[in-house]
Amino acid sequence: MSGASVAIVGASTAGAAAAYALRAEGHEGPVVLIGAEQTAPYERPPLSKDVLTSADDPQPLWLLTPDTYVSTNIELRLGAAVTSLETDGSRFRLALADGARLSADTVVLATGGRARRLDVLPADPRIHVLRTWADAQALRTQLRAADRALVLGSGLIGAECAASASSQGVEVEVIEAQHVPFPSLPSHEVRGALLRTFAQHGVTFRTGVTVTGCQAGSDGLIVSLSDGNVIETDLIVIGIGVEPMTGLADQLGAETQRGVLVDDRMRTSVPGLFAAGDVATRRIGDRLVRHEHFASAQAQGAAVARSVVGLDPVAPPAAWAWSDQFTHRLDVVGDPQGGTERRLRRGDDGSLVEFSLAGSRLVGVTALDAHRTVRDARRLIGGVLRAPAEGLEGNDVPLKQLVSTP
Amino acid sequence: MSSGQAEQTVTVRQDDEQHESLTWVVACAVADLPDGEMTAINTEPPVAVYNVDGEFFSTADTCTHMKSSLTEGYLDGDQVECALHMATFCVRDGRATALPATVPLRTFEVKIEDNTLKVRLPASWVELA
Ligand SMILES: Cc1cc2nc3c(=O)[nH]c(=O)nc-3n(C[C@H](O)[C@H](O)[C@H](O)COP(=O)(O)OP(=O)(O)OC[C@H]3O[C@@H](n4cnc5c(N)ncnc54)[C@H](O)[C@@H]3O)c2cc1C
Ligand code: FES
């Protein structure tokens, strides 16, 4: 297998990790990393944080240094979306938007997701989504000149954009369709603490309402809401989630379940076709799991490489998403929704940790400003309590002493 | 490729390393750095020193992922783990041993003299501090 050619479609977190890991695992055949964006693979997390707030002109943070592509012989093809993917059962043929055609023995889909848009909004340069470097540049430029911004959605990206805009002195209002702010955060206490910080910075929330229309005027956008209210703003950021890019998998008839379905070796239902990252829905035990987090996309990139070179899978690490909002650090580890009982730990330093338990097993952690506990939790998710659950509330006891290693 | 700019920075740094002058600097008293501990010294950029079971090592303190201070993280045997996104590096040779980091840390020579730990650093890192 080690002389086989591998085409990785999607040159971002999962794709770059896959290419890097293929070489680290000793794959010798050609590796081509194909990306629709013009920019070499870069970190997305800073796009909603430092890229929006830094005083200096931001530069992309590369996932791999430019010399890595040369030294490890990874062919990088940028600015060229794969438009068609076919197979004759043994080799794949790829057509690129720039007219090029390639063939490969193995294809890895790392096409990620695209930011969802809202049909009721017109096409207007003041209405933004945030997924790419180009998106971030456009938003950054306009934020510098804006007085008011409206953020639609208070998931991680919406909340980060709201915090970043507010810390730039922009007056920010957040519209959340659900009835609580930050609905994806599985802890009432953590949501509350976060909301207090946003309120202190003057960010206002409207929950349980949706946008029903928008008129683009020359000196602002006039947005109408489902409750009859009308808001005027200088720009809009839409942060209402991601749509997995499953189009190429569909062309080959690979099975999908919201994302491209893969087994524990990252294999799709089409032989030779693999998937990893935000686009992949993994079957883990009897559950179907699709993540939209950096660490998971990287781990899946490494896992797909192991599989392509024929190594046995290693157990995936506990899920982990982090977010930075104002000076807070948020972490969600494991699957907090999978618990039946919750325990809260309040630190003297203002930190908050909510442990989620299924019986005596630790299944998830939601944490605010609690680095050390999060670090331990990433290793202990799935472990069993050694002592009564109340012990978790004790602020000064390291988690390692309370939960056995899974 | 749109990465020409960064490519240049990388080359310049390598050239620099070959031609720059190095100088021995006192990091700390040996007694102040017990087994399993690490500390940063106040150069610009900062440098970390580690005590791994009585053996001393030194690397740049700045994580090659997103520039967090490694001494804010955790030292586990000869592996230092960054607090921000949990990349790990081997402090013996600077190798990046877990994602998200892929770029190694620069390492520095150490020696012990008169019960003090000394590290050999680029002179320019010390002058700026
Ligand atoms: C603004 C922002 C902030 C974030 N912050 C955090 C954070 O703080 N913490 C965290 O854990 N996660 C964060 N994330 C999530 C994390 O960045 C993603 O989970 C991760 O990037 C997913 O990686 P991926 O490679 O699977 O997909 P993507 O990063 O979506 O990359 C897919 C790539 O494939 C390309 N592509 C798609 N179709 C084709 C095609 N047909 N041909 C060629 N190329 C194609 C796309 O152009 C894209 O470049 C953030 C995401 C964003 C957008
Ligand atoms: S800054 Fe060190 S792991 Fe990200």
Side-chain angles (χ1 to χ4, degrees):
Chain A
M1 185 70 204
S2 89
S5 57
V6 183
I8 302 168
V9 187
S12 178
T13 319
Y20 181 77
L22 272 171
R23 290 304 185 217
E25 304 289 8
H27 179 82
E28 285 167 3
V31 173
V32 54
L33 182 57
I34 310 165
E37 292 177 63
Q38 297 291 345
T39 321
Y42 57 91
E43 304 262 356
R44 290 198 201 284
L47 302 186
S48 43
K49 311 173 184 84
D50 297 359
V51 172
L52 298 182
T53 56
S54 79
D56 303 331
D57 233 2
Q59 293 296 319
L61 264 176
W62 306 123
L63 283 163
L64 301 176
T65 53
D67 55 339
T68 305
Y69 299 100
V70 181
S71 64
T72 63
N73 196 17
I74 295 167
E75 187 191 346
L76 193 55
R77 277 180 171 254
L78 297 172
V82 174
T83 51
S84 109
L85 179 60
E86 294 170 359
T87 179
D88 57 12
S90 69
R91 266 180 91 74
F92 293 91
R93 284 186 308 279
L94 296 79
L96 275 55
D98 61 8
R101 289 180 186 273
L102 307 176
S103 67
D105 299 304
T106 298
V107 170
V108 175
L109 294 177
T111 46
R114 98 179 128 213
R116 192 173 294 141
R117 291 175 182 268
L118 265 183
D119 291 341
V120 295
L121 296 178
D124 186 289
R126 293 165 293 183
I127 302 179
H128 299 259
V129 293
L130 183 53
R131 185 76 190 170
T132 65
W133 177 252
D135 293 341
Q137 292 294 98
L139 179 56
R140 174 187 161 87
T141 308
Q142 285 188 17
L143 271 178
R144 317 224 112 199
D147 296 320
R148 304 156 299 180
L150 190 65
V151 176
L152 309 184
S154 58
L156 295 183
I157 289 176
E160 287 185 1
C161 285
S164 294
S166 166
S167 65
Q168 293 299 99
V170 177
E171 196 183 306
V172 180
E173 182 149 18
V174 182
I175 306 286
E176 172 54 61
Q178 302 206 37
H179 287 276
V180 289
F182 321 115
S184 64
L185 274 181
S187 160
H188 177 74
E189 272 75 14
V190 171
R191 286 197 302 268
L194 211 53
L195 190 57
R196 278 193 293 282
T197 298
F198 275 74
Q200 276 160 13
H201 285 88
V203 177
T204 52
F205 279 80
R206 297 185 195 218
T207 55
V209 285
T210 54
V211 171
T212 51
C214 171
Q215 262 177 21
S218 56
D219 49 85
L221 299 162
I222 299 166
V223 181
S224 36
L225 302 180
S226 54
D227 61 4
N229 279 306
V230 171
I231 303 176
E232 235 186 287
T233 187
D234 300 325
L235 65 89
I236 297 177
V237 186
I238 311 174
I240 58 167
V242 167
E243 286 164 5
M245 301 281 274
T246 57
L248 295 174
D250 293 335
Q251 287 184 17
L252 290 179
E255 202 178 329
T256 57
Q257 288 275 353
R258 290 205 315 127
V260 182
L261 194 63
V262 295
D263 64 8
D264 63 342
R265 290 172 187 262
M266 315 305 288
R267 297 178 293 204
T268 72
S269 62
V270 173
L273 182 69
F274 296 74
D278 282 13
V279 78
T281 300
R282 286 172 296 162
R283 199 187 285 286
I284 299 180
D286 52 4
R287 292 186 312 142
L288 293 180
V289 184
R290 193 175 68 79
H291 288 152
E292 293 172 358
H293 320 133
F294 180 87
S296 184
Q298 269 200 333
Q300 290 179 57
V304 85
R306 285 183 67 84
S307 181
V308 168
V309 302
L311 294 170
D312 283 333
V314 289
W320 171 45
W322 79 82
S323 177
D324 302 291
Q325 298 168 24
F326 292 110
T327 55
H328 289 305
R329 171 60 176 258
L330 263 166
D331 292 276
V332 181
V333 189
D335 176 24
Q337 319 275 15
T340 47
E341 190 190 336
R342 287 167 183 228
R343 293 284 163 172
L344 189 71
R345 175 185 285 203
R346 271 180 204 283
D348 302 329
D349 52 1
S351 67
L352 270 179
V353 182
E354 188 168 295
F355 299 97
S356 205
L357 299 164
S360 62
R361 224 157 42 83
L362 179 68
V363 295
V365 159
T366 309
L368 189 74
D369 304 325
H371 261 307
R372 191 167 282 271
T373 307
V374 167
R375 174 183 192 246
D376 291 345
R378 288 190 64 212
R379 288 167 192 161
L380 296 171
I381 292 289
V384 172
L385 285 183
R386 300 178 200 267
E390 296 80 71
L392 291 171
E393 290 163 7
N395 181 17
D396 43 359
V397 195
L399 197 55
K400 279 188 269 198
Q401 288 172 23
L402 301 169
V403 182
S404 68
T405 318
Chain B
M1 265 185 42
S2 61
S3 44
Q5 220 172 351
E7 213 154 38
Q8 225 163 18
T9 329
V10 171
T11 334
V12 169
R13 205 193 67 204
Q14 281 167 350
D15 281 348
D16 270 1
E17 278 182 28
Q18 274 157 21
H19 298 128
E20 77 201 336
S21 66
L22 299 171
T23 174
W24 286 100
V25 175
V26 173
C28 60
V30 171
D32 290 341
L33 191 65
D35 270 11
E37 300 275 311
M38 57 183 167
T39 187
I41 54 180
N42 193 12
T43 49
E44 180 54 49
V47 164
V49 286
Y50 313 87
N51 179 341
V52 179
D53 291 329
E55 272 187 278
F56 293 90
F57 301 99
S58 175
T59 71
D61 181 50
T62 309
C63 181
T64 61
H65 179 232
M66 286 190 198
K67 306 196 173 150
S68 180
S69 160
L70 289 170
T71 45
E72 295 294 311
Y74 314 89
L75 183 62
D76 197 351
D78 61 8
Q79 302 287 311
V80 63
E81 182 182 299
C82 179
L84 223 49
H85 314 109
M86 300 179 199
T88 59
F89 301 88
C90 177
V91 304
R92 294 174 188 274
D93 55 11
R95 217 162 17 100
T97 47
L99 292 173
T102 54
V103 177
L105 292 172
R106 190 162 172 195
T107 56
F108 305 104
E109 251 183 281
V110 299
K111 67 175 176 186
I112 292 173
E113 252 173 28
D114 306 328
N115 294 323
T116 55
L117 177 66
K118 296 185 175 174
V119 291
R120 194 160 178 242
L121 304 180
S124 59
W125 294 27
V126 183
E127 281 152 19
L128 280 170

